[in-house]
Amino acid sequence: MIIEGLAIGALINTVYNLNKAVEMDERALKKYAKAFEQHEEAELLVKRKAEYTDKRLSNVAKKKRAIIQNTVPRFTKVYGQIQKVNVQNKAEKREIILKNSTERLSVLNAISISVKKEFTDKEFVCGLITKGFARTMVMDSEKYLSAANNQMRASNVVYSQAQSIGEIYDAIAGRADRIAKLLMAMNALFVKSITETERVITTNGLDVRRYSEYDKGILMTCVNIAVAMSDIIDVPVVDEDGVLCDSALKMIETGEQYIKQMNSLIES
Amino acid sequence: MSNKKDSDISDSFVPISILKPVANKKLGITQEYNKENRDKLWDSQKGKTEYKEKIFENRQTYHDPISGEVLHKSQKAAQNKYHMKNKQGENVSSTWANHSAETDHINALKDVHNIAKHNPFLTDADFKEVMNSEENYRILPKSLNTAKGDKSDWQLIADKDSDISLEGKLYMAKEKVIADVTLQSKFATKTAQNIGNEFVSGATDTLVNSVIPLTAEAVRKMIHAAQGKQSLEEAASDIGKAAVNVAVAGGVNKLLVDVISAQTNSNQSKILNNIVNSGEFSKIIAVATIVQESAAKYINGEITGEEFVEEVGEKGISMVAGMIGGQVGQEIGGIIGAIIGSAVLPGAGTVSGYVAGEAIGRVLGTIITTVACSAIVSFFHTSKHLEDYKLKDYQIRKLESEALKEIEKQRNEFHHIVEHQYKIWDDTIMNNFNQIITCACKETFNLQGVTSGLANILSLFGKDVAFKNLTEYESQLDMPLTLSF
């Protein structure tokens, strides 16, 4: 027909554009692969950090248990000779707080899958007429590449969020290690103090009011350390009232908002 | 405008559905192309014979402008004259075939059937009628007809090794263009008629959303067609002539431009939606593609109605000329250009005036009177949104950039806060432990120093020592000491 008469001149351009379309499809596929790979890496990053932090938290729990099971009974036995000691158990509540806080961080938002919207028949025909077959194929490939690029962009944001989550896990692990170190140091002090208390009681008997100022000071210090130990053991690693928690939450929520917006755009 | 009633109508809508209905039309072309179907349904020996009679008139020979040969009406006469057989009755020569006239379809039945069979609004009878129009017939020597085989006319025209002369190729091109436009126009008209009838069968009046400008005369023609006073085809060719006259005249006459601003309620029209969504959508508006750019410019308000008609006129001429020039090859493109510009072919007027006038006339007529008007607008809007994905791309890219920047900023802030907090922690613990150890030594025992060191450490957790001095300690010695672990 009439249109056919112009086809010969466009042949070379058609071949070039079709080749371009094929190239773009290959690039699009590679982009998708990279995007999903990066998403996997983001999840792996968070998983590894979570596992490491879990180990550090377990270490704290171990130290606390050791103190409660070994040092505290000794204190009760020694100091209990001159004053009645009541020891209450709080371990179970503490563990639940720790568990829930770290679990919240493990979930990374699932990102929407960015797919190329196929041309409708009408759009395809319009494309054929206004832009020609080759250009329509290129446009189709451009759409595919665009969808793949968008997947990559979404995955970049998710990875950044994963890095933020990783930062929080690092902070938790850092705090856990500091608490563990403090517990060990305090325990050493506690043990030494109990030994001194035992010496004082053995030397002076059970009537504290007849002790010298120095000896009373040793007993008072032992009790202060005991109470301090119970306070320190009671402190949660993830301090939900602390400033670290506030800024961590803000950071996570910001990331979640952006991921949500990204998903909406991709799905539109 | 001379007729106020027509003017009122033209200002509102054109009811296409007032066309005369054709009862019980079996829509849809038989899908399979074979010899039996061709002979039974689509070919017309009668039409071909009548055409040959018309061309030869009362003569027995005819000078063929394509091959340059003298052709005989009767095959037998050609065989006798050019000594096909020897005295023994053996076939010795085939020269006669160069001089025997045959009626040929310019656009082959098979080629067009392959396209038209997808149009759900044509019948076999429509196809036969259109394909056997005079404009699609030509006289060819038998030998050329056979040698042509499956080649298209454009391929023959472009073939440098072909025996056809330059004048012959020009003539072929001219006939080809006329045939193409005629077929497109007639198929589109038939389609519109059949669609119109479909509307009549169930729907209310169909309103056409047309922003293509029309002359006052063209509007009146449309109304006449809609009211059944004129056939659609007659109206189309009349409208075409009117528009061409203005264009050829150089646009001196002021045009009365009436824009029909009615609406196609295509959401309620299943038929229109089917057209738009059917695979043959492009074929129905194929003719309109010649003027689509001008139509788009008019829709966008870049040109006036008058400019639109003039532009279509110019564009049609250059398009036809461009096709001929392009197809015949570059080395004779210059010659063709000169011919198109000013030369006169014997007995046919100028190529551009004759060919373009006919072509543009039919093109305009078809556009104006079929649903192509709404289709142009519809697909123009669709084509505008074909690249919307680029906008989305840009939005996502922007969001990504903003997100990464903000997330990183907050991450760095968090890191800074953590570092600061831990420094305070480390310094406090270290300094106060040193103090406790120093003050706890027997030689330098300082109860207050030990107590305050402990207090400072506990302050990191918001806590304090149990007993600040001996008085407080001694006062509770008679009570049980309660510890929580």
Side-chain angles (χ1 to χ4, degrees):
Chain A
M1 298 290 184
I2 292 176
I3 312 295
E4 151 203 309
L6 301 172
I8 295 170
L11 185 61
I12 293 168
N13 193 40
T14 299
V15 170
Y16 167 74
N17 276 332
L18 286 178
N19 281 340
K20 193 170 157 193
V22 166
E23 251 176 48
M24 266 198 268
D25 286 349
E26 283 172 6
R27 274 164 57 198
L29 269 173
K30 282 184 186 156
K31 268 271 152 74
Y32 266 120
K34 203 170 162 206
F36 290 126
E37 202 184 302
Q38 185 170 251
H39 188 69
E40 287 288 308
E41 280 172 12
E43 287 191 340
L44 207 59
L45 168 73
V46 169
K47 192 176 166 208
R48 284 191 186 134
K49 291 278 183 186
E51 281 169 1
Y52 177 76
T53 304
D54 200 47
K55 284 191 182 129
R56 304 325 301 154
L57 289 173
S58 299
N59 186 41
V60 174
K62 246 190 272 177
K63 300 275 185 291
K64 287 182 179 178
R65 241 187 337 263
I67 293 169
I68 293 166
Q69 285 170 2
N70 299 313
T71 317
V72 169
R74 197 168 158 229
F75 166 79
T76 308
K77 188 181 168 192
V78 168
Y79 187 80
Q81 296 172 89
I82 54 165
Q83 185 179 4
K84 191 169 166 35
V85 178
N86 288 336
V87 175
Q88 290 171 350
N89 196 349
K90 282 198 227 168
E92 196 177 327
K93 187 178 164 202
R94 240 185 337 269
E95 279 167 18
I96 290 167
I97 288 172
L98 285 175
K99 200 165 180 287
N100 283 348
S101 299
T102 51
E103 262 180 9
R104 193 191 153 165
L105 293 179
S106 295
V107 179
L108 259 183
N109 300 79
I111 49 169
S112 297
I113 306 297
S114 165
V115 289
K116 174 192 82 165
K117 279 195 180 138
E118 297 293 342
F119 283 129
T120 61
D121 280 353
K122 187 174 170 187
E123 285 172 339
F124 185 64
V125 167
C126 286
L128 283 186
I129 291 168
T130 57
K131 297 180 193 295
F133 173 73
R135 175 71 198 137
T136 303
M137 291 300 105
V138 166
M139 228 169 22
D140 194 59
S141 294
E142 277 176 358
K143 278 179 97 167
Y144 189 36
L145 187 58
S146 167
N149 279 334
N150 290 340
Q151 193 70 54
M152 192 69 219
R153 290 180 187 124
S155 147
N156 287 342
V157 174
V158 165
Y159 192 80
S160 188
Q161 174 78 338
Q163 287 175 311
S164 297
I165 293 172
E167 198 70 34
I168 295 173
Y169 275 125
D170 285 345
I172 294 172
R175 185 170 156 94
D177 284 348
R178 280 170 174 80
I179 290 177
K181 208 168 150 191
L182 177 62
L183 283 169
M184 279 172 59
M186 288 296 295
N187 188 51
L189 201 62
F190 196 22
V191 166
K192 180 81 178 140
S193 178
I194 293 168
T195 306
E196 277 297 295
T197 301
E198 195 173 33
R199 184 193 61 76
V200 164
I201 293 171
T202 305
T203 306
N204 297 316
L206 300 178
D207 189 358
V208 177
R209 289 186 174 81
R210 291 175 62 188
Y211 287 7
S212 68
E213 296 287 314
Y214 174 77
D215 290 335
K216 283 180 197 171
I218 287 173
L219 259 54
M220 184 183 107
T221 300
C222 191
V223 172
N224 272 345
I225 292 173
V227 174
M229 288 302 290
S230 93
D231 286 341
I232 293 169
I233 283 173
D234 200 38
V235 160
V237 176
V238 180
D239 177 13
E240 290 187 351
D241 296 324
V243 70
L244 280 188
C245 202
D246 280 348
S247 51
L249 274 175
K250 187 182 162 200
M251 192 168 66
I252 292 301
E253 277 162 9
T254 301
E256 285 178 355
Q257 276 306 314
Y258 275 118
I259 291 174
K260 201 170 157 194
Q261 276 180 50
M262 189 70 94
N263 280 348
S264 294
L265 257 183
I266 283 175
E267 286 167 10
S268 68
Chain B
M1 302 203 37
S2 56
N3 187 333
K4 188 179 188 303
K5 188 177 175 215
D6 288 345
S7 167
D8 286 343
I9 294 171
S10 71
D11 280 342
S12 56
F13 65 90
V14 176
I16 289 183
S17 60
I18 301 177
L19 297 170
K20 290 177 195 166
V22 174
N24 297 326
K25 254 200 152 178
K26 190 172 173 278
L27 294 178
I29 293 174
T30 301
Q31 294 293 294
E32 194 187 338
Y33 185 92
N34 54 40
K35 187 178 181 313
E36 190 193 333
N37 284 343
R38 187 197 67 207
D39 292 343
K40 189 173 139 196
L41 298 172
W42 306 312
D43 205 355
S44 173
Q45 288 307 321
K46 183 171 171 239
K48 285 177 173 173
T49 307
E50 282 172 0
Y51 180 76
K52 197 172 169 184
E53 289 294 333
K54 186 180 169 188
I55 295 297
F56 276 83
E57 291 173 329
N58 295 322
R59 302 185 304 261
Q60 296 304 309
T61 57
Y62 159 76
H63 179 82
D64 176 31
I66 294 175
S67 64
E69 302 286 356
V70 170
L71 303 183
H72 288 261
K73 189 173 167 184
S74 154
Q75 181 172 289
K76 211 167 163 51
Q79 286 169 343
N80 285 339
K81 182 162 183 190
Y82 295 96
H83 308 297
M84 182 178 92
K85 291 182 193 294
N86 61 16
K87 283 179 184 161
Q88 285 75 37
E90 293 158 336
N91 289 347
V92 296
S93 163
S94 60
T95 306
W96 66 271
N98 298 341
H99 301 275
S100 175
E102 281 187 347
T103 306
D104 175 48
H105 286 109
I106 297 174
N107 284 295
L109 286 173
K110 187 177 180 194
D111 293 342
V112 181
H113 174 267
N114 203 31
I115 298 165
K117 69 182 180 184
H118 300 294
N119 185 335
F121 298 106
L122 292 174
T123 64
D124 286 323
D126 290 335
F127 186 73
K128 181 175 181 175
E129 184 190 322
V130 173
M131 289 305 291
N132 290 289
S133 306
E134 276 190 10
E135 291 87 348
N136 197 38
Y137 279 150
R138 68 174 156 217
I139 298 295
L140 273 188
K142 186 178 176 64
S143 56
L144 181 55
N145 206 6
T146 310
K148 187 170 156 279
D150 287 336
K151 278 191 196 170
S152 74
D153 280 16
W154 293 124
Q155 284 170 318
L156 268 187
I157 290 166
D159 182 3
K160 289 174 215 166
D161 299 326
S162 156
D163 291 332
I164 304 172
S165 68
L166 169 61
E167 287 78 14
K169 284 179 178 174
L170 258 180
Y171 190 85
M172 271 188 87
K174 182 186 82 179
E175 284 202 314
K176 174 75 172 138
V177 168
I178 292 170
D180 283 359
V181 177
T182 301
L183 292 190
Q184 286 287 4
S185 166
K186 286 190 175 182
F187 276 130
T189 304
K190 288 274 178 208
T191 305
Q193 274 176 333
N194 294 342
I195 291 167
N197 301 332
E198 289 292 309
F199 288 144
V200 167
S201 69
T204 54
D205 288 341
T206 304
L207 306 177
V208 177
N209 182 14
S210 169
V211 293
I212 310 298
L214 303 172
T215 63
E217 193 184 342
V219 171
R220 278 195 289 279
K221 295 286 183 201
M222 274 185 75
I223 293 165
H224 287 157
Q227 291 171 341
K229 291 177 190 171
Q230 213 176 1
S231 75
L232 202 57
E233 214 166 356
E234 283 165 0
S237 58
D238 280 352
I239 292 167
K241 277 186 201 158
V244 168
N245 284 341
V246 169
V248 169
V252 173
N253 295 332
K254 293 285 179 199
L255 296 179
L256 295 172
V257 180
D258 295 302
V259 176
I260 292 184
S261 59
Q263 286 175 353
T264 298
N265 194 349
S266 62
N267 283 337
Q268 289 180 16
S269 167
K270 202 177 160 202
I271 304 295
L272 272 182
N273 279 336
N274 285 342
I275 294 170
V276 163
N277 291 328
S278 77
E280 282 310 296
F281 176 70
S282 60
K283 297 300 177 282
I284 292 170
I285 61 167
V287 174
T289 62
I290 294 171
V291 296
Q292 61 159 346
E293 278 178 46
S294 305
K297 279 157 75 178
Y298 176 79
I299 291 165
N300 265 341
E302 292 167 37
I303 57 173
T304 65
E306 187 172 357
E307 285 167 344
F308 166 81
V309 174
E310 282 181 4
E311 203 172 276
V312 165
E314 278 172 13
K315 193 168 288 187
I317 291 168
S318 62
M319 181 140 190
V320 170
M323 278 189 292
I324 295 174
Q327 291 305 314
V328 190
Q330 281 203 348
E331 63 269 27
I332 55 174
I335 302 170
I336 298 301
I339 291 173
I340 286 165
S342 58
V344 171
L345 288 182
T350 64
V351 171
S352 59
Y354 173 64
V355 175
E358 285 274 298
I360 299 310
R362 288 170 199 270
V363 161
L364 275 178
T366 305
I367 293 167
I368 289 163
T369 57
T370 68
V371 295
C373 292
S374 61
I376 292 174
V377 174
S378 169
F379 94 63
F380 174 72
H381 286 302
T382 299
S383 68
K384 263 175 125 175
H385 292 289
L386 280 175
E387 299 195 0
D388 276 357
Y389 67 91
K390 288 190 180 172
L391 173 64
K392 187 167 159 178
D393 202 73
Y394 167 75
Q395 287 171 333
I396 291 180
R397 205 165 359 116
K398 204 159 164 277
L399 181 63
E400 181 209 14
S401 169
E402 186 186 308
L404 289 178
K405 209 166 131 193
E406 185 59 29
I407 291 173
E408 197 185 333
K409 174 172 163 262
Q410 290 199 12
R411 188 163 57 240
N412 289 339
E413 267 173 26
F414 177 75
H415 187 83
H416 177 75
I417 290 171
V418 168
E419 290 291 299
H420 180 68
Q421 290 283 318
Y422 286 172
K423 187 164 187 319
I424 294 173
W425 172 295
D426 294 342
D427 287 346
T428 304
I429 302 290
M430 193 171 69
N431 294 339
N432 285 286
F433 250 99
N434 286 341
Q435 180 176 307
I436 291 170
I437 288 164
T438 306
C439 296
C441 283
K442 197 173 179 180
E443 295 77 21
T444 53
F445 184 74
N446 177 347
L447 182 60
Q448 206 48 49
V450 172
T451 307
S452 70
L454 258 182
N456 289 339
I457 289 171
L458 285 171
S459 71
L460 285 175
F461 310 104
K463 305 284 183 185
D464 202 353
V465 282
F467 309 112
K468 289 192 175 52
N469 50 55
L470 282 176
T471 309
E472 281 180 16
Y473 169 65
E474 283 183 86
S475 68
Q476 58 81 49
L477 275 173
D478 295 326
M479 293 180 284
L481 176 69
T482 303
L483 297 171
S484 300
F485 285 98

